[in-house]
Amino acid sequence: MINTVEDFNEVFFIGIAGVGMSALAQYLQGIGKNVSGSDRYFLSDEPNKTRSQLEAEGIKCFVQDGSGITSNTQLVVVSTAIEDTVPEVLKAKSLSIPIIRRSELLSIIAKSKKTVALAGTSGKSTTAAMLYHMLEKANLQPSIISGAGLTSLIKQNKIGNAAVGSGDWLIIEADESDGSIVQYKPEIGVLLNIDKDHQEIAELLDLFGVFKNNTNSLFIVNQSNRQAKTMSTNANSDFGFEAENCGYSVENFKQDGLELSFTIKDQPFGMTSLGRHSAENAAAAVAVAHQIGVDLAVCAESLRTYEGIYRRHQVLGRKNGVWVIDDYAHNPAKCAASIRACQPLADKVVAWFQPHGYGPTRFLKDDFIQEISDALRPEDEIYMSEIFYAGGTAVKDISANDLIEGIKNKGKKAFFVENRDDLLEIIRPKLTVDTLLLLMGARDPGLETFSKNLFEKL
């Protein structure tokens, strides 16, 4: 029975290249475990960047043929996408090796530290990165297990989604999409927002309610989010955007190009980012750090040098007067917030979005149409390419064009480009000086390359 991190030493990850799995693998390697893993993207005759980065950390990587699991393996970790027919699963079962899911392992790791768990339907990775940076600046030597790569760590040629520090604090993301959020019992729980994403609001309220009850010490919520606000336990510990009834309210907010400025508790803050949602995320991180004992001036100093995270309003550059920004936005609230955050930068925003999954797109269809339509100015345009399909069983009874037609019917400029490789030539005439091109989408591993190639060809 695996109950603590002391109960195993040899651990194998099936699907180790995934962002959630690779973060756990790196963390365990960093605390002295013998870590190995396989992935369907690892092929014997092809180079793989993630594999190389994992191997550079001392993690042994294998093709997904069962060869990596031996009688010495004490624990096997699987992601939700791993099926029972995968060779490693069959071999682990034949050897009676315990098999647990990624979320179970994260909950076991979280018990070993003083944990801050960040929850909500948007902003978890960004807030985690900001908080990590603040605690580092305060010399608290924090650890982090994140859903996205921190730019400061990526610059060290790392994947960037995990780091092991010698201090007491561990920062994690508590995911509601698969229900695993109920497994965590953090020292500090943070609820950033509650918006319709993978589940209906009523279901989300139930999940976040359990998360609140499982939090041991301090529960912090966003007083500016209507649903999150209902779960407040102490407004003095909460954060918000121009929210009178909270301890850490963003005030005097200004966006000048890529620079944000604001105050919290009369402390001036400045950071390179976009949008009020970035300031809200910063306020969440400040609320945690300050109540842990970090001085507000140190928080402000750390935000001034904060470099962001991978594909979260990542500025690819400016060419011929056109800004190009790559973003992970993938649900209605995130897409709308991303569009609005870019509008102060340019007279016209040309946005492109690739929805992911037929089920999620069908579930959120009306919300996508309404939220994106509300965000678009008369001069702005939205383009969509066909839904990303990751495989498995799916009823393909919806198209991205259905979203486009709905947005058109609301009087906005919306266009369907089935194949994203055709996008640049179609939009090129629209990319005049003082235009911003915003690329949005998630889950598709090819999006990073697509965005960078498009910028190069601009």
Side-chain angles (χ1 to χ4, degrees), residues 66 68 77 100 131 139 153 172 214 241 278 284 318 364 403 419:
V77 186
I100 65 173
L131 179 57
N139 296 315
L153 298 177
I172 69 167
N214 284 347
F241 188 94
S278 296
R318 195 177 192 186
L364 295 168
L403 307 186
N419 187 335

Side-chain angles (χ1 to χ4, degrees), residues 211-252:
F211 174 65
K212 170 186 172 179
N213 292 335
N214 284 347
T215 297
N216 292 319
S217 177
L218 184 63
F219 192 69
I220 299 169
V221 307
N222 184 354
Q223 286 279 341
S224 295
N225 182 268
R226 184 168 60 89
Q227 299 290 353
K229 182 179 181 179
T230 64
M231 294 200 176
S232 175
T233 58
N234 182 352
N236 291 328
S237 300
D238 294 339
F239 67 97
F241 188 94
E242 296 176 356
E244 294 179 8
N245 186 36
C246 73
Y248 299 86
S249 177
V250 172
E251 304 292 338
N252 308 307

Side-chain angles (χ1 to χ4, degrees), residues 223-405:
Q223 286 279 341
S224 295
N225 182 268
R226 184 168 60 89
Q227 299 290 353
K229 182 179 181 179
T230 64
M231 294 200 176
S232 175
T233 58
N234 182 352
N236 291 328
S237 300
D238 294 339
F239 67 97
F241 188 94
E242 296 176 356
E244 294 179 8
N245 186 36
C246 73
Y248 299 86
S249 177
V250 172
E251 304 292 338
N252 308 307
F253 175 80
K254 292 186 180 65
Q255 178 172 336
D256 183 10
L258 294 171
E259 295 298 316
L260 304 183
S261 63
F262 51 92
T263 60
I264 299 174
K265 288 185 176 293
D266 297 324
Q267 169 68 48
F269 285 83
M271 61 186 294
T272 301
S273 193
L274 292 171
R276 64 165 273 176
H277 65 287
S278 296
E280 271 187 35
N281 291 336
V286 169
V288 176
H290 189 238
Q291 290 176 89
I292 283 175
V294 179
D295 190 88
L296 288 175
V298 175
C299 294
E301 184 184 353
S302 74
L303 276 186
R304 173 46 62 195
T305 56
Y306 171 67
E307 297 179 87
I309 58 175
Y310 167 74
R311 293 203 65 238
R312 269 60 169 189
H313 274 138
Q314 187 173 2
V315 179
L316 299 183
R318 195 177 192 186
K319 270 190 182 179
N320 305 318
V322 178
W323 285 105
V324 181
I325 291 178
D326 189 22
D327 193 46
Y328 192 76
H330 60 279
N331 70 23
K334 289 177 182 175
C335 289
S338 190
I339 291 168
R340 288 193 176 99
C342 291
Q343 287 167 340
L345 282 178
D347 294 336
K348 179 172 74 175
V349 172
V350 175
W352 171 82
F353 174 52
Q354 178 183 271
H356 73 270
Y358 289 90
T361 305
R362 189 186 312 110
F363 178 64
L364 295 168
K365 175 186 172 185
D366 293 342
D367 301 270
F368 271 124
I369 291 169
Q370 189 65 53
E371 297 249 15
I372 291 175
S373 297
D374 288 347
L376 292 170
R377 301 172 297 186
E379 60 271 26
D380 296 334
E381 301 176 359
I382 180 73
Y383 292 76
M384 290 189 197
S385 295
E386 196 51 280
I387 297 165
F388 171 66
Y389 174 54
T393 56
V395 179
K396 301 179 182 179
D397 59 352
I398 188 169
S399 166
N401 193 37
D402 295 324
L403 307 186
I404 289 295
E405 290 300 321

Side-chain angles (χ1 to χ4, degrees), residues 27-246:
Y27 180 85
L28 290 181
Q29 185 73 20
I31 64 171
K33 304 298 182 183
N34 292 327
V35 181
S36 55
S38 66
D39 200 277
R40 63 191 173 103
Y41 291 110
F42 296 167
L43 303 174
S44 56
D45 56 347
E46 291 183 18
N48 182 283
K49 182 180 179 182
T50 302
R51 179 175 184 166
S52 298
Q53 290 172 314
L54 290 170
E55 289 176 337
E57 299 291 329
I59 296 169
K60 304 176 193 70
C61 293
F62 299 85
V63 297
Q64 205 165 82
D65 61 1
S67 61
I69 292 180
T70 71
S71 57
N72 292 327
T73 306
Q74 296 171 304
L75 176 65
V76 169
V77 186
V78 296
S79 66
T80 52
I82 299 302
E83 299 168 334
D84 288 344
T85 53
V86 170
E88 280 84 349
V89 174
L90 295 173
K91 189 167 183 182
K93 287 181 176 180
S94 73
L95 294 171
S96 299
I97 300 168
I99 301 174
I100 65 173
R101 294 202 174 275
R102 180 198 66 82
S103 58
E104 293 176 71
L105 175 59
L106 180 55
S107 69
I108 290 169
I109 292 171
K111 292 175 190 173
S112 68
K113 304 281 277 187
K114 292 172 71 173
T115 296
V116 180
L118 297 155
T121 44
S122 304
K124 294 186 288 292
S125 297
T126 300
T127 308
M130 290 177 179
L131 179 57
Y132 174 77
H133 202 43
M134 289 176 190
L135 300 191
E136 265 216 315
K137 184 66 74 172
N139 296 315
L140 293 179
Q141 287 86 44
S143 300
I144 186 170
I145 297 171
S146 175
L150 282 66
T151 301
S152 58
L153 298 177
I154 291 172
K155 284 183 174 179
Q156 301 171 34
N157 200 32
K158 298 177 181 291
I159 298 173
N161 53 354
V164 176
S166 59
D168 294 334
W169 289 100
L170 167 66
I171 302 161
I172 69 167
E173 297 175 34
D175 189 6
E176 81 291 341
S177 65
D178 59 1
S180 62
I181 187 171
V182 301
Q183 298 179 48
Y184 309 117
K185 297 182 179 180
E187 187 78 11
I188 298 174
V190 182
L191 181 53
L192 299 169
N193 39 56
I194 304 176
D195 298 300
K196 188 177 175 183
D197 190 352
H198 303 276
Q199 299 107 323
E200 295 287 358
I201 293 294
E203 188 178 352
L204 290 169
L205 287 170
D206 287 343
L207 289 170
F208 290 128
V210 174
F211 174 65
K212 170 186 172 179
N213 292 335
N214 284 347
T215 297
N216 292 319
S217 177
L218 184 63
F219 192 69
I220 299 169
V221 307
N222 184 354
Q223 286 279 341
S224 295
N225 182 268
R226 184 168 60 89
Q227 299 290 353
K229 182 179 181 179
T230 64
M231 294 200 176
S232 175
T233 58
N234 182 352
N236 291 328
S237 300
D238 294 339
F239 67 97
F241 188 94
E242 296 176 356
E244 294 179 8
N245 186 36
C246 73

